[in-house]
Amino acid sequence: MIIVMKPHSTDAQIDGVVTHIQSLGYRAHLSKGDETTIIGVIGDDRPIDRTLFETLDGVEKTVPILKPFKLASADMHPPDTTVPLNGLPVGGPKVAIIAGPCSVESRSQIIESAHAVKEAGATALRGGAYKPRTSPYAFQGMGEEGLVLLAEAREATGLPVVTEAMATEHVPLVAKYADVIQIGARNMQNYPLLNAAGEARVPVLLKRGMMSTIEELLMSAEYILAKGNTQIMLCERGIRTFERYTRNTTDINAVPVLKQMTHLPVILDPSHGTGKWEYVAPVAKAGIAAGADGVIIEVHPDPSHALSDGAQSLKPEKFAQLVQEIRRVAVAVDRS
Amino acid sequence: MIIVMKPHSTDAQIDGVVTHIQSLGYRAHLSKGDETTIIGVIGDDRPIDRTLFETLDGVEKTVPILKPFKLASADMHPPDTTVPLNGLPVGGPKVAIIAGPCSVESRSQIIESAHAVKEAGATALRGGAYKPRTSPYAFQGMGEEGLVLLAEAREATGLPVVTEAMATEHVPLVAKYADVIQIGARNMQNYPLLNAAGEARVPVLLKRGMMSTIEELLMSAEYILAKGNTQIMLCERGIRTFERYTRNTTDINAVPVLKQMTHLPVILDPSHGTGKWEYVAPVAKAGIAAGADGVIIEVHPDPSHALSDGAQSLKPEKFAQLVQEIRRVAVAVDRS
Amino acid sequence: MIIVMKPHSTDAQIDGVVTHIQSLGYRAHLSKGDETTIIGVIGDDRPIDRTLFETLDGVEKTVPILKPFKLASADMHPPDTTVPLNGLPVGGPKVAIIAGPCSVESRSQIIESAHAVKEAGATALRGGAYKPRTSPYAFQGMGEEGLVLLAEAREATGLPVVTEAMATEHVPLVAKYADVIQIGARNMQNYPLLNAAGEARVPVLLKRGMMSTIEELLMSAEYILAKGNTQIMLCERGIRTFERYTRNTTDINAVPVLKQMTHLPVILDPSHGTGKWEYVAPVAKAGIAAGADGVIIEVHPDPSHALSDGAQSLKPEKFAQLVQEIRRVAVAVDRS
Amino acid sequence: MIIVMKPHSTDAQIDGVVTHIQSLGYRAHLSKGDETTIIGVIGDDRPIDRTLFETLDGVEKTVPILKPFKLASADMHPPDTTVPLNGLPVGGPKVAIIAGPCSVESRSQIIESAHAVKEAGATALRGGAYKPRTSPYAFQGMGEEGLVLLAEAREATGLPVVTEAMATEHVPLVAKYADVIQIGARNMQNYPLLNAAGEARVPVLLKRGMMSTIEELLMSAEYILAKGNTQIMLCERGIRTFERYTRNTTDINAVPVLKQMTHLPVILDPSHGTGKWEYVAPVAKAGIAAGADGVIIEVHPDPSHALSDGAQSLKPEKFAQLVQEIRRVAVAVDRS
């Protein structure tokens, strides 16, 4: 980190900062400019809170220099990581398409959905058994019964299953019935859950929080990596902004930023990113054009009777058409 | 809710919507304007996802009419709720001052802090044993050992203890050692945790998520209330915006908005709201002037050696002075 | 608009609102629900400030029903508008590529840039003569001299010129030398400037403000349309969010939203949208995949000596490659 | 500024950066850490765009060290500036209260308002003759006729007049009729207007843009200061966030931040900051408690018939009561 002193800081104040740096086991490097002095801290200062120095006399601010993540960094891990999904290495040349309903609602609904997305060309099936809902009065998911139905749908179609765990106690169950544990946006900084996912030996789909920076997403991945689980797919699913015509704002920039910063594969979720089914297809294609390794899309056989997220769900026939369109865009950017 | 039809929607489309409303057990009320038709849904439609209707032919958008929360609403619960804290009914005329270090770091640190804030006039002691940290390399809290030290500090000073639970499995432990369970900003929408706090028979300090709306804060309180726990203090602790000179943006508007919308007491956290100790005092006073029922403030005997949040912690002598200043402002707005 | 009454509003309060509606020349339509009453205002209420009703006794809130824009609405103007640019109807099947340096810096720089982007396949040349700069100490543009050089570059290459007017007094000059008047993001709500652009008989490229909603962008277009100028291209150039790895967040959702809501063509600016040249190509391709009618891209022969926006400028050879890539994506989404 | 090199940058890349620094007339200072090298640029680098260096080989990012503003900085100008308003030095111990309607609507309305706010104890009268409105269909202000009426209201009451100029061509007129030129939020980065205000020899009330950082506000003040006008009051009027229960989010933190960073007085606008009259009084008091030098408040004799901003306007009797409350809070923070 860099410590920037106030314009008229005294030698005693500078000495105080240097002493403090050394007392923490680091080396200090001074650089005097015309208007101010800056002090560099030499050594891996990731474990300390840099703002501590801001309480010392004469300090104006501190500036981080090292990226706070290590294991997630592209610098540290060439070549890129791929995560196998139904035989497809996600992060490789072929784009993955994960699709299915927001929630598992019944046997017929999930089996029908699974067959529909499989026929359309999906790589994997999504569907929630545990549902984080803003309102306690809304449908909260079928729980373990939903997991059993998802396993049945996999049996019937061969599609691997991606489903969310909302609490540490769900992790073993999800790992038992499903192929990929999803960590939802609201839980991106639920550290006990990240640790549990890190200890599970199952791939993780980690969604970016709607209020989280890309750096924080990578730090959450770092929690999972630090526990030894390297099978992580990162998912951009839209962030919260002032714009009101869409439910969220898809941060399309995050796709190339992540592809540059990390070795982990990147999935785009245009369903949550927009919140409206009419906008899902164009934004899904945009994600692939920007370099995403796959998309995750909500598909429901009867959206206007869905128990959650109906407004952003595609009907199976629209989805089938979108898969074709995605393939054309993938080819245009040298993917398949 | 209101369903707004597209400008040139047909009678068949309107009939379709009305039939759908009725099939869900509600009544429909049509209103034809010059440019468009709107359809009101009569009945308590809180349990259904209003956006479902947006998938029907001819529908342009839906608009909620009822507030989505009930138990948290000021309409439903006069007079205001007070939460007892050290004999002080929080939400009554006297303002509460909760203070202490971000984290429990050692016996001497927490005991010294407790004595210091008690002498300065604090109502309760805060201190974290479980710490949600962005980085896996940062200090994660002392865990149960920290809880034991907090209980000791209470023993030594008589101050009740406010401390965070980060997971359902922490709740029984926190309820055993502490007086108030804090739900942190990152966990405001951790629904299993909210349910567990609702089932505990201990007061809850519920912090607003850094990118959650006031409505979502009230919906999270609704989860706790729905489980039968009415002893909730809401806490505004700053939201995330584009502004970079401060760590967060204190949403001072939230104070009068919450005082109008809900019967629950409102606490302001100027330490997280600003992220810099120099700004804590003015914003704490602003909170009281705006009608907050109390403040929660980080105080550390040696901020530049704090293991977390040093930059926003006050030294005990600054805190003692602030308590005096807060009292003067409280009197000026007819509090005490 | 809809007026929502408070839960326990009285008949006298409801009568008061109805009378107020009628006094303003509108009709009222009552709808009594189980918990509250809502009152619809019938007639084109766009000219009145709906929040006025929020000051009446018993009113909880008001909700707009009509879209506030008319002339910009897709409903009112089928088929889509196209804006001719160098013989290419922007908004038609072929995508437009506008390119050039951020600022005109010298004759050689702009002439060289113009030849480079022309050879690469650009449709039009961009370049700023008047530059809105955050700092008064930064380069402020060459002014009219820059306009003269732009006209020379057009002469030399045949490329039409897009350049910004920052004040009403610039409009006649820009209209004299250039082919398209750009209204920059900081001026999206500079209403005297919008009016002046509306009165000019030259196409306008209207950039979305960095913290303006899509609706506000359309309202600003409405100002220009209301003055009789229908030759408008809308430009999404990134919005301001909490994310810090990129200069702005490209709102890719805005592309399909605008294509649905308005008849005006939509251009994406991935240079400002990302702020970093490495991310320009993927986001440009994303824009085309999402349905944009064109892109506007900063290209500079020597970015590290540019007087403004060097970090987000492509070198000519990278740009030439990007044009080829854009063409492939355009074909994949049935454009050319 | 500091230039941070990529982890594995080569000596040739470092030399390239150093040469570039020197070619621009600055000195370079190298500091090699364990993982990366940083290079300090010595000299006043405010005029150059630091991101230029980000296009050089091996550079990861650049970090500003100097504050970009000079004349506005508290460091450069002790003691604090005061701006005289009706004999009151704004920025001194006594707080200023500027009040009046959003728009001048008629002679009787503005004269009545002026008398009402004067009797209640206001320091100055506000009222808009030129109104920036989102919709071209909304009332746009009375223009010069409104200025004449404002001058009449000053004549009648002795209150100085604060009113907005929206374009350079308004500045001489506003300077002729009024005492303070207001630059509105939408025009905070309208640089021709800032320059014109800087050349006028009349005090300026500069409102923060709803999408502008505190630093950008200070940079806009710097434009005015650089033209020789030092009579500037800065105004926090709420920023745009994701929160929807209020029109804007009052950035209360901005008050102590500005008081620390600059010598210019700071005014809070709780009317725009909240957008709802019920919240104006608590937030006004919060502003004074936080250290603001004054408040600007919308007051209208008949808010439900106001032509703009009725929902956030206080009735005269509420305003009179608020003035008393503000005085009590001012005394409690050692102001008057």
Side-chain angles (χ1 to χ4, degrees):
Chain A
M1 91 185 69
I2 286 292
I3 297 163
V4 182
M5 301 301 291
K6 287 182 181 160
H8 308 293
S9 55
T10 63
D11 286 353
Q13 289 170 332
I14 292 170
D15 285 353
V17 173
V18 169
T19 305
H20 200 69
I21 290 168
Q22 292 167 343
S23 77
L24 292 166
Y26 298 95
R27 280 166 294 134
H29 180 105
L30 253 74
S31 171
K32 286 195 187 257
D34 294 347
E35 294 183 30
T36 192
T37 296
I38 65 171
I39 306 174
V41 175
I42 316 282
D44 180 356
D45 56 17
R46 288 181 183 88
I48 55 166
D49 179 351
R50 71 183 160 79
T51 65
L52 285 184
F53 290 94
E54 295 175 5
T55 64
L56 297 177
D57 273 358
V59 172
E60 182 158 306
K61 63 174 177 179
T62 61
V63 177
I65 297 299
L66 301 180
K67 284 181 199 138
F69 47 90
K70 277 174 145 172
L71 304 172
S73 170
D75 302 335
M76 307 280 171
H77 187 291
D80 282 353
T81 293
T82 59
V83 176
L85 193 65
N86 200 14
L88 172 75
V90 181
K94 203 163 175 225
V95 301
I97 301 177
I98 306 169
C102 176
S103 306
V104 182
E105 298 169 11
S106 69
R107 169 175 286 111
S108 63
Q109 175 251 18
I110 191 65
I111 302 286
E112 186 184 338
S113 298
H115 280 297
V117 303
K118 162 122 201 216
E119 274 153 41
T123 317
L125 175 67
R126 59 150 293 154
Y130 301 102
K131 297 301 307 170
R133 303 303 299 274
T134 306
S135 170
Y137 309 121
F139 175 62
Q140 307 276 321
M142 294 181 75
E144 188 170 356
E145 196 187 338
L147 294 176
V148 172
L149 295 177
L150 283 166
E152 244 185 77
R154 175 177 50 189
E155 198 81 357
T157 60
L159 288 180
V161 162
V162 179
T163 196
E164 179 164 356
M166 280 170 63
T168 52
E169 56 266 32
H170 299 162
V171 171
L173 275 174
V174 168
K176 177 178 158 197
Y177 290 106
D179 301 275
V180 176
I181 302 174
Q182 179 179 311
I183 309 278
R186 285 174 185 77
N187 282 314
M188 192 200 87
Q189 294 191 316
N190 182 335
Y191 301 114
L193 182 58
L194 294 176
N195 284 333
E199 278 156 11
R201 287 297 168 263
V202 178
V204 176
L205 180 80
L206 176 63
K207 295 191 119 182
R208 179 180 179 187
M210 69 190 77
M211 54 181 100
S212 299
T213 61
I214 295 172
E215 187 168 289
E216 288 168 342
L217 172 61
L218 289 169
M219 291 307 288
S220 289
E222 191 85 3
Y223 263 90
I224 299 171
L225 289 161
K227 290 285 180 190
N229 188 346
T230 61
Q231 298 291 290
I232 305 171
M233 294 174 276
L234 301 175
C235 179
E236 162 60 36
R237 48 75 74 205
I239 57 173
R240 181 165 273 187
T241 69
F242 59 87
E243 175 54 45
R244 302 183 180 201
Y245 274 178
T246 49
R247 184 172 165 190
N248 291 295
T249 296
T250 307
D251 183 1
I252 194 78
N253 293 354
V255 175
V257 171
L258 285 168
K259 291 306 292 177
Q260 185 192 53
M261 297 237 164
T262 184
H263 53 90
L264 298 170
V266 177
I267 305 291
L268 190 83
D269 176 348
S271 305
H272 286 88
T274 63
K276 266 197 146 171
W277 71 265
E278 292 107 311
Y279 308 139
V280 169
V283 173
K285 288 183 276 183
I288 298 305
D293 298 304
V295 287
I296 179 165
I297 293 176
E298 292 192 349
V299 177
H300 195 285
D302 182 8
S304 57
H305 285 93
L307 293 179
S308 55
D309 279 358
Q312 70 195 35
S313 296
L314 292 183
K315 292 183 188 164
E317 56 274 21
K318 294 263 181 208
F319 173 67
Q321 188 189 326
L322 173 57
V323 172
Q324 299 311 312
E325 292 173 12
I326 285 174
R327 283 193 180 141
R328 290 178 63 197
V329 174
V331 169
V333 294
D334 296 322
R335 305 289 286 263
S336 61
Chain B
M1 92 186 68
I2 287 292
I3 298 162
V4 181
M5 302 300 293
K6 287 182 180 160
H8 308 293
S9 56
T10 64
D11 286 353
Q13 289 171 331
I14 292 170
D15 285 353
V17 174
V18 169
T19 305
H20 200 69
I21 290 168
Q22 291 167 345
S23 78
L24 293 165
Y26 299 95
R27 282 166 292 135
H29 179 105
L30 254 74
S31 172
K32 286 195 188 257
D34 293 347
E35 296 184 30
T36 192
T37 295
I38 65 171
I39 306 174
V41 176
I42 317 282
D44 180 357
D45 56 17
R46 288 182 184 89
I48 56 167
D49 179 353
R50 69 184 162 78
T51 65
L52 287 184
F53 290 95
E54 294 175 6
T55 64
L56 297 177
D57 273 358
V59 172
E60 181 160 305
K61 63 174 177 180
T62 61
V63 177
I65 297 298
L66 301 180
K67 283 180 200 138
F69 49 89
K70 276 174 147 173
L71 304 172
S73 171
D75 301 337
M76 306 280 171
H77 187 290
D80 283 355
T81 293
T82 58
V83 177
L85 193 66
N86 199 15
L88 173 76
V90 182
K94 202 161 175 225
V95 301
I97 301 178
I98 305 168
C102 177
S103 306
V104 182
E105 299 170 10
S106 69
R107 171 176 285 111
S108 61
Q109 175 250 15
I110 191 66
I111 301 285
E112 186 183 340
S113 298
H115 280 296
V117 303
K118 162 122 201 218
E119 274 154 41
T123 316
L125 175 68
R126 60 150 291 153
Y130 300 102
K131 298 302 308 170
R133 301 303 299 274
T134 306
S135 168
Y137 308 123
F139 174 62
Q140 308 275 322
M142 295 180 75
E144 189 172 355
E145 196 187 338
L147 294 177
V148 172
L149 294 177
L150 283 166
E152 244 184 77
R154 175 177 49 190
E155 198 80 359
T157 59
L159 289 180
V161 162
V162 179
T163 196
E164 179 164 356
M166 281 170 62
T168 52
E169 56 268 31
H170 299 163
V171 171
L173 274 174
V174 168
K176 178 178 158 197
Y177 290 107
D179 301 274
V180 177
I181 302 173
Q182 179 179 310
I183 309 278
R186 286 175 184 76
N187 281 315
M188 193 200 86
Q189 294 190 315
N190 182 335
Y191 301 114
L193 182 58
L194 294 176
N195 284 333
E199 279 157 10
R201 286 297 168 263
V202 178
V204 176
L205 180 81
L206 176 62
K207 296 190 119 183
R208 180 180 178 185
M210 69 190 80
M211 213 145 169
S212 299
T213 61
I214 295 172
E215 187 167 290
E216 288 167 343
L217 171 62
L218 290 168
M219 291 308 288
S220 289
E222 192 85 2
Y223 264 90
I224 300 171
L225 289 161
K227 290 286 179 188
N229 188 347
T230 60
Q231 299 290 289
I232 305 171
M233 293 174 277
L234 302 174
C235 181
E236 162 61 37
R237 48 76 73 205
I239 57 173
R240 183 166 270 189
T241 68
F242 59 84
E243 174 54 45
R244 302 184 180 200
Y245 274 179
T246 49
R247 183 170 165 193
N248 291 295
T249 297
T250 307
D251 183 1
I252 195 78
N253 293 354
V255 175
V257 171
L258 284 168
K259 290 306 293 177
Q260 184 191 55
M261 297 236 165
T262 183
H263 53 89
L264 298 169
V266 176
I267 304 291
L268 190 83
D269 177 347
S271 305
H272 287 87
T274 63
K276 266 197 147 171
W277 71 265
E278 292 107 311
Y279 308 140
V280 169
V283 173
K285 289 183 276 183
I288 298 303
D293 298 305
V295 288
I296 180 166
I297 293 176
E298 292 192 349
V299 177
H300 194 285
D302 182 8
S304 57
H305 285 93
L307 294 178
S308 55
D309 279 359
Q312 68 195 35
S313 296
L314 291 184
K315 291 183 187 163
E317 55 274 20
K318 293 263 183 210
F319 172 67
Q321 188 188 325
L322 173 56
V323 172
Q324 299 310 314
E325 292 173 11
I326 286 174
R327 283 193 180 142
R328 291 179 64 196
V329 173
V331 169
V333 293
D334 296 322
R335 304 289 285 263
S336 60
Chain C
M1 91 185 69
I2 287 291
I3 297 163
V4 182
M5 301 301 293
K6 288 182 180 159
H8 308 293
S9 55
T10 64
D11 286 354
Q13 289 171 332
I14 293 170
D15 286 353
V17 173
V18 169
T19 305
H20 200 70
I21 291 168
Q22 292 167 343
S23 77
L24 293 165
Y26 299 95
R27 281 166 293 135
H29 180 105
L30 254 74
S31 172
K32 287 195 188 256
D34 293 348
E35 296 184 31
T36 192
T37 295
I38 65 170
I39 306 173
V41 175
I42 318 283
D44 180 356
D45 56 17
R46 288 181 184 88
I48 55 166
D49 179 353
R50 70 183 162 79
T51 66
L52 286 184
F53 290 95
E54 294 175 6
T55 63
L56 297 177
D57 273 358
V59 172
E60 182 159 306
K61 63 174 177 179
T62 61
V63 177
I65 298 299
L66 301 179
K67 284 181 199 137
F69 48 88
K70 277 173 145 174
L71 304 172
S73 170
D75 301 335
M76 306 280 172
H77 187 292
D80 283 354
T81 292
T82 59
V83 176
L85 193 66
N86 201 14
L88 171 75
V90 181
K94 200 160 177 229
V95 301
I97 301 178
I98 306 169
C102 177
S103 306
V104 182
E105 298 169 9
S106 68
R107 169 174 287 112
S108 61
Q109 174 250 20
I110 191 66
I111 301 285
E112 186 184 339
S113 299
H115 280 296
V117 303
K118 162 121 201 217
E119 274 153 41
T123 316
L125 174 68
R126 61 149 291 154
Y130 300 102
K131 298 301 308 171
R133 302 303 299 275
T134 305
S135 169
Y137 310 122
F139 175 62
Q140 308 275 321
M142 294 180 76
E144 188 170 356
E145 196 187 338
L147 294 177
V148 172
L149 296 176
L150 284 166
E152 245 185 77
R154 174 176 51 189
E155 198 81 356
T157 60
L159 288 180
V161 162
V162 179
T163 196
E164 180 165 356
M166 282 170 61
T168 52
E169 56 266 32
H170 299 163
V171 171
L173 275 175
V174 168
K176 177 178 159 196
Y177 290 106
D179 301 274
V180 177
I181 301 174
Q182 179 178 312
I183 307 277
R186 286 175 185 76
N187 282 314
M188 193 200 87
Q189 295 191 316
N190 181 335
Y191 301 113
L193 182 58
L194 295 175
N195 283 333
E199 279 157 9
R201 286 297 168 264
V202 178
V204 176
L205 181 81
L206 176 62
K207 295 191 120 182
R208 180 181 180 186
M210 68 190 81
M211 213 149 171
S212 299
T213 62
I214 295 172
E215 187 168 290
E216 289 167 342
L217 171 61
L218 290 168
M219 291 306 288
S220 289
E222 192 85 3
Y223 264 90
I224 300 170
L225 290 160
K227 290 285 180 188
N229 188 347
T230 60
Q231 298 292 289
I232 305 171
M233 294 174 275
L234 301 174
C235 180
E236 162 60 37
R237 47 78 74 203
I239 57 173
R240 182 166 272 187
T241 69
F242 58 85
E243 174 54 44
R244 302 183 180 200
Y245 274 178
T246 48
R247 183 171 165 191
N248 292 294
T249 296
T250 307
D251 183 2
I252 195 78
N253 293 355
V255 174
V257 171
L258 285 168
K259 291 306 292 177
Q260 185 191 55
M261 297 238 164
T262 184
H263 53 89
L264 298 170
V266 177
I267 304 291
L268 190 82
D269 176 348
S271 305
H272 287 88
T274 63
K276 266 198 146 170
W277 70 266
E278 292 106 311
Y279 308 140
V280 168
V283 174
K285 288 184 275 184
I288 298 304
D293 298 304
V295 287
I296 179 165
I297 292 176
E298 291 192 349
V299 177
H300 194 286
D302 182 8
S304 57
H305 285 92
L307 294 179
S308 56
D309 279 358
Q312 69 195 35
S313 295
L314 291 183
K315 291 183 187 165
E317 55 275 21
K318 294 263 181 208
F319 172 68
Q321 188 189 325
L322 173 57
V323 172
Q324 300 310 314
E325 293 173 12
I326 285 174
R327 283 194 180 139
R328 292 179 62 198
V329 175
V331 169
V333 294
D334 296 322
R335 304 290 286 263
S336 61
Chain D
M1 91 185 71
I2 287 293
I3 298 162
V4 182
M5 301 301 292
K6 287 183 180 158
H8 307 294
S9 55
T10 64
D11 286 353
Q13 289 170 332
I14 292 170
D15 285 352
V17 173
V18 169
T19 305
H20 200 69
I21 290 169
Q22 292 167 343
S23 77
L24 291 165
Y26 298 95
R27 282 166 292 136
H29 180 106
L30 254 76
S31 171
K32 283 193 189 260
D34 293 347
E35 294 184 31
T36 191
T37 295
I38 65 171
I39 306 173
V41 175
I42 317 282
D44 179 358
D45 57 16
R46 289 182 184 88
I48 56 167
D49 179 352
R50 70 183 161 78
T51 64
L52 286 184
F53 290 94
E54 294 175 7
T55 63
L56 297 177
D57 272 359
V59 172
E60 182 160 303
K61 64 174 176 179
T62 61
V63 177
I65 297 299
L66 301 180
K67 285 182 199 135
F69 48 89
K70 276 175 146 173
L71 304 172
S73 171
D75 302 336
M76 307 278 171
H77 187 292
D80 283 354
T81 293
T82 58
V83 177
L85 193 66
N86 200 15
L88 173 75
V90 181
K94 201 160 176 230
V95 301
I97 301 178
I98 305 169
C102 177
S103 306
V104 182
E105 299 170 9
S106 68
R107 170 175 285 113
S108 61
Q109 175 251 16
I110 191 66
I111 301 285
E112 187 184 338
S113 299
H115 280 296
V117 303
K118 162 122 201 217
E119 274 154 40
T123 316
L125 175 69
R126 60 149 292 153
Y130 300 102
K131 298 301 309 170
R133 302 304 299 274
T134 306
S135 168
Y137 309 122
F139 174 63
Q140 308 274 321
M142 295 180 76
E144 189 172 355
E145 196 187 337
L147 294 177
V148 172
L149 295 177
L150 283 165
E152 244 185 78
R154 175 177 50 188
E155 196 82 357
T157 59
L159 288 180
V161 162
V162 179
T163 196
E164 179 164 355
M166 282 170 62
T168 52
E169 56 266 33
H170 298 163
V171 171
L173 274 174
V174 168
K176 178 179 158 195
Y177 290 107
D179 301 274
V180 177
I181 301 173
Q182 180 178 311
I183 308 278
R186 286 176 184 76
N187 281 314
M188 193 201 86
Q189 295 191 315
N190 181 336
Y191 301 114
L193 182 57
L194 294 175
N195 284 332
E199 279 158 10
R201 288 295 168 265
V202 178
V204 176
L205 181 81
L206 177 63
K207 295 190 120 182
R208 179 179 179 187
M210 68 190 81
M211 54 182 98
S212 299
T213 61
I214 294 172
E215 186 167 291
E216 289 168 341
L217 171 61
L218 290 169
M219 291 307 287
S220 289
E222 192 85 2
Y223 264 90
I224 300 172
L225 289 161
K227 290 284 179 187
N229 188 347
T230 60
Q231 299 290 290
I232 305 171
M233 294 174 277
L234 302 174
C235 181
E236 162 61 37
R237 50 75 74 203
I239 57 173
R240 182 165 271 188
T241 69
F242 59 85
E243 174 54 45
R244 302 183 180 201
Y245 275 177
T246 48
R247 183 170 164 193
N248 291 295
T249 296
T250 307
D251 183 0
I252 195 78
N253 293 354
V255 174
V257 170
L258 285 168
K259 290 306 292 179
Q260 185 191 54
M261 297 236 164
T262 183
H263 53 89
L264 298 169
V266 176
I267 304 291
L268 189 83
D269 176 348
S271 305
H272 287 87
T274 63
K276 266 198 148 171
W277 69 266
E278 292 107 311
Y279 308 140
V280 169
V283 174
K285 288 184 276 182
I288 298 303
D293 298 304
V295 287
I296 180 166
I297 293 176
E298 292 193 349
V299 177
H300 194 286
D302 182 9
S304 57
H305 286 93
L307 294 178
S308 56
D309 279 357
Q312 68 196 35
S313 296
L314 291 184
K315 291 183 188 163
E317 55 275 20
K318 293 262 183 210
F319 172 67
Q321 189 190 323
L322 173 57
V323 172
Q324 299 310 314
E325 293 174 10
I326 285 174
R327 283 194 181 141
R328 291 179 62 196
V329 174
V331 169
V333 294
D334 296 322
R335 304 289 287 264
S336 59

